[in-house]
Amino acid sequence: MINAFIAPERLLLGPGPTNTDSRVLEAAAQPTIGHLDPAFQGLMEEIKEQLRMLFKTKNLMTMPISAPASLAMEMGLINLLEAGDKAIIAQNGVFGGRMADIVKRAGAELVHLEFEWGKPVDLDVVAEAIKAHPDAKMLGFVHAETSTGVRSDAYALCALAQDAGMLSLVDTVTGLGGIEVDVDGWGADVVYSGSQKCLAVPPGLAPITFNERAIEAIKSRKTPVQSWFMDLNLVLGYWSGDGARSYHHTAPVNALYGLHEGARLALEEGIDARIARHKNAYDRLAQGMAELGLDFFVDAEYRLPQLNTVTIPEGVDDAAVRARLLDEYDIEIGGGLGPMAGKIWRIGLMGGNANPEAVEKVLSALREVLGQ
Ligand SMILES: *Cc1c(COP(=O)(O)O)cnc(C)c1O
């Protein structure tokens, strides 16, 4: 017989998922109800309202996708792009690379701008590319690049796209709930996030928002979106309100109870207070790292407080350190992705873990493990 699964208790200080508040888990453990039950439809409306507040947008088309954030990325791109359209993708880490891959798979023409990992997207290079490709339909970039711990300037990048009459698509999977996200202030057209990073909700849901310009562009497509599940026109019928709701797919009912409670927690705390808390946790970590003689991989100006990349000191065994942290201290930190593997650690201080105790725990564990 197979025994019941008992999850170990870990302190999740990697690139996500982060630990979830007991209020979120308790909310998700409530009885399942039908996804077309009027009570559930009321919940859906409230979640849309909560996400608008968190994203800072008035966009009606704001909802959680029933999937991890990668699907929100793909959904945004394949709805905006038809075969033969041109898209500019600015890549400075792993996730921008995925955008580029999706653009190619959609049969669109890719203008691929690649920037040094650990540096933000260079505005001048993007401005040049926009000038050289005035026929491009959109610009895509990652606001908070989780593979390197770098923040790019979403205000400036969205403005460059808008001034050129192009659409902008912004990945703020790691940004939402941890640093400033200002969808309407940015003038961004499509923006998406994920549940498991600074919102501190279990993985598997992806908030996304489309403004009127994006919806116009999607409605005026000449060809249908190649994916049935991700076709915004069809999803719209399910998530748009006022009794017009039609069956599209069965929403992950209990997971959405959790998202609702997680968003309530974030809004109760207040967005600004939450951002300040993430910044304070980073300040403490930075101080402790300096005491341990550890260096950040990213210049201070562009660092994400919620995802800290640390240069692995010469002669230190990356995998062995992370394994000891997990086995002996129940602390998970992240390793480097792609070309950063073995070069950096990624210490996430996301959601509830952006607190002094979590910072002290990881610093004291690192002190002991590295001291030997
Ligand atoms: C985590 C992450 C994703 C993908 O999220 P999943 O939920 O794993 O699909 C996309 N972009 C960025 C910047 C991320 O940090």
Side-chain angles (χ1 to χ4, degrees):
M1 205 188 65
I2 293 174
N3 292 324
F5 177 69
I6 309 290
E9 288 206 19
R10 309 284 202 206
L11 179 60
L12 300 178
L13 303 181
T18 190
N19 294 92
T20 43
D21 194 277
S22 58
R23 264 177 57 181
V24 171
L25 296 176
E26 281 159 20
Q30 293 180 93
T32 304
I33 58 173
H35 73 120
L36 297 173
D37 188 312
F40 186 69
Q41 300 200 11
L43 178 85
M44 285 165 93
E45 287 309 304
E46 287 188 356
I47 291 173
K48 285 157 65 178
E49 194 52 44
Q50 291 172 313
L51 295 180
R52 282 185 202 109
M53 288 189 258
L54 291 167
F55 272 130
K56 290 199 184 165
T57 182
K58 295 197 168 58
N59 292 344
L60 287 177
M61 198 59 225
T62 303
M63 62 188 177
I65 305 294
S66 309
S70 301
L71 192 116
M73 175 192 288
E74 187 147 24
M75 180 173 181
L77 286 166
I78 70 169
N79 275 273
L80 292 183
L81 295 171
E82 291 185 77
D85 284 342
K86 196 186 256 192
I88 302 174
I89 300 296
Q91 176 186 0
N92 63 338
V94 164
F95 293 100
R98 286 193 186 173
M99 282 189 185
D101 191 11
I102 294 168
V103 166
K104 284 190 279 186
R105 285 165 189 252
E109 190 184 329
L110 171 67
V111 179
H112 195 174
L113 309 178
E114 293 182 74
F115 301 92
E116 193 183 328
W117 289 34
K119 299 273 187 273
V121 170
D122 184 325
L123 301 176
D124 293 333
V125 173
V126 173
E128 280 302 311
I130 285 177
K131 217 181 287 168
H133 300 278
D135 54 332
K137 189 172 186 183
M138 59 155 288
L139 167 71
F141 66 93
V142 178
H143 173 223
E145 188 38 271
T146 321
S147 61
T148 59
V150 168
R151 178 182 46 79
S152 287
D153 187 341
Y155 281 107
L157 288 164
C158 291
L160 285 173
Q162 194 165 21
D163 291 348
M166 292 176 196
L167 296 161
S168 53
L169 176 134
V170 187
D171 177 320
T172 191
V173 175
T174 288
L176 193 67
I179 52 173
E180 186 187 41
V181 169
D182 186 8
V183 168
D184 288 357
W186 291 343
D189 298 299
V190 180
V191 183
Y192 60 87
S193 188
S195 49
Q196 77 273 31
K197 309 222 175 166
C198 296
L199 290 180
V201 168
L205 292 171
I208 192 167
T209 183
F210 296 81
N211 71 4
E212 281 304 319
R213 270 197 337 148
I215 291 168
E216 272 317 302
I218 294 165
K219 283 192 174 150
S220 54
R221 289 174 63 104
K222 291 180 215 72
T223 53
V225 176
Q226 66 265 36
S227 158
W228 175 86
F229 186 74
M230 284 185 267
D231 184 343
L232 185 72
N233 292 301
L234 302 180
V235 178
L236 255 169
Y238 187 52
W239 274 95
S240 60
D242 305 329
R245 206 165 264 125
S246 56
Y247 169 64
H248 177 260
H249 65 278
T250 309
V253 170
N254 292 63
L256 287 165
Y257 299 163
L259 178 63
H260 182 265
E261 193 60 19
R264 259 168 46 80
L265 269 165
L267 293 166
E268 267 173 32
E269 178 176 16
I271 296 171
D272 291 342
R274 195 175 177 90
I275 290 171
R277 182 165 56 75
H278 281 81
K279 170 73 168 59
N280 290 339
Y282 154 77
D283 286 339
R284 270 185 113 98
L285 182 76
Q287 199 188 329
M289 276 178 43
E291 285 161 17
L292 286 177
L294 292 171
D295 295 323
F296 278 95
F297 175 60
V298 176
D299 292 341
E301 201 182 336
Y302 307 113
R303 281 178 205 158
L304 296 172
Q306 68 274 43
L307 196 282
N308 298 279
T309 47
V310 182
T311 307
I312 299 176
E314 200 83 32
V316 169
D317 183 340
D318 167 29
V321 168
R322 284 189 290 119
R324 282 198 60 194
L325 289 176
L326 193 67
D327 294 342
E328 296 171 28
Y329 301 86
D330 279 314
I331 296 175
E332 177 182 278
I333 67 167
L337 286 181
M340 302 320 299
K343 299 202 173 96
I344 58 170
W345 288 317
R346 295 183 298 156
I347 302 179
L349 301 171
M350 298 180 179
N353 287 345
N355 74 54
E357 294 90 298
V359 173
E360 286 318 317
K361 275 188 188 153
V362 70
L363 285 172
S364 91
L366 277 172
R367 194 176 301 119
E368 290 180 17
V369 171
L370 294 176
Q372 288 162 11

